[in-house]
Amino acid sequence: MSQARRIGLFGGAFDPPHQAHVALARAGLAQLQLDELRIIPTGQAWHKSRSLSPAADRLAMVKLAFADLAGVLIDERELNRRGDSYTIDTVLALRAEQAQAEFFLLMGADQWAAFTGWHRWQELAALVHLCVARRPDLADAPEAGTLEVTWLDLPPMPVSATGIRGQVAAAPAGGSWADLVPPAVARYISDHRLYAQP
Ligand code: ATP
């Protein structure tokens, strides 16, 4: 019998996608021996109060950021969904499409710390393997109850999209922020004058 296909899921606002996102994806693909990793840019996420950059810009940057990673596939379904968008809906849809697959949900420690606040989190936890990357300020985040989690083998990286947006606003023409994102993403940010306002 053939082995179940191992599918990783990595969602985020990706506003913008940065080096830690790419490192996390690379680590997940290798460590979890994924057959495919779906990058899933969120619509207007229910748990983020800030309004996001246009979907078209975030999608374009995600395509540029992950272009070199074999096995990555960009899944646009959440961008196309109207109304509230929840990870459980995405996972249920994917399971309906690929009933035999095993799913691995990748996230950073900030999301993990908030996981028990996610919509239908118990149901979600029963459907996926939870795989978490440490973040510097959250290295000791409490684990959500008795849920099993796989820690990704990745040193904590002090990079956040919030920090990058702030740095771009302070120096739109270019600055040390350009090293925190893949080069093509840095060019896209400059060319499209993203994040000029803090
Ligand atoms: P923001 O600062 O706007 O909240 P972010 O940098 O956390 O953004 P998101 O697009 O919200 O980026 O994150 C997508 C996923 O990547 C989330 O699971 C998040 O925890 C994870 N992630 C982001 N940055 C890091 C990092 N430095 N280390 C590990 N995981 C990260």
Side-chain angles (χ1 to χ4, degrees):
M1 214 175 77
S2 65
Q3 284 208 323
R5 192 166 170 76
R6 297 166 74 86
I7 302 180
L9 309 174
F10 183 34
F14 300 117
D15 193 15
H18 52 62
Q19 298 292 18
H21 293 138
V22 177
L24 191 157
R26 202 184 291 280
L29 277 159
Q31 183 182 336
L32 306 168
Q33 299 189 315
L34 301 177
D35 295 301
E36 109 189 15
L37 173 61
R38 289 185 177 235
I39 308 291
I40 311 176
T42 51
Q44 185 66 50
W46 59 273
H47 58 284
K48 294 228 174 184
S49 47
R50 182 180 71 82
S51 71
L52 300 174
S53 299
D57 285 325
R58 293 185 295 113
L59 178 60
M61 289 191 286
V62 162
K63 287 180 177 168
L64 294 170
F66 295 98
D68 294 340
L69 275 191
V72 161
L73 192 153
I74 312 298
D75 188 318
E76 300 181 25
R77 75 185 68 214
E78 292 195 6
L79 292 174
N80 300 328
R81 198 177 286 157
R82 288 175 192 281
D84 291 337
S85 177
Y86 300 109
T87 304
I88 182 73
D89 298 324
T90 301
V91 169
L92 287 172
L94 282 162
R95 269 173 56 96
E97 289 163 22
Q98 311 213 34
Q100 306 304 323
E102 239 182 292
F103 291 97
F104 298 78
L105 185 62
L106 280 57
M107 67 183 79
D110 57 314
Q111 294 298 317
W112 173 238
F115 185 73
T116 55
W118 286 26
H119 190 56
R120 292 161 65 185
W121 64 271
Q122 280 132 321
E123 196 180 337
L124 179 58
L127 297 175
V128 298
H129 299 283
L130 297 162
C131 308
V132 182
R134 293 187 171 83
R135 293 188 78 160
D137 43 338
L138 284 156
D140 299 312
E143 299 202 359
T146 56
L147 293 179
E148 239 182 77
V149 59
T150 299
W151 290 97
L152 293 176
D153 195 7
L154 185 71
M157 295 176 70
V159 187
S160 75
T162 304
I164 292 167
R165 291 192 302 273
Q167 288 186 45
V168 178
S176 55
W177 61 264
D179 296 334
L180 304 178
V181 296
V185 172
R187 273 195 299 278
Y188 189 97
I189 290 172
S190 295
D191 290 351
H192 293 80
R193 297 186 167 74
L194 297 183
Y195 315 124
Q197 306 296 325

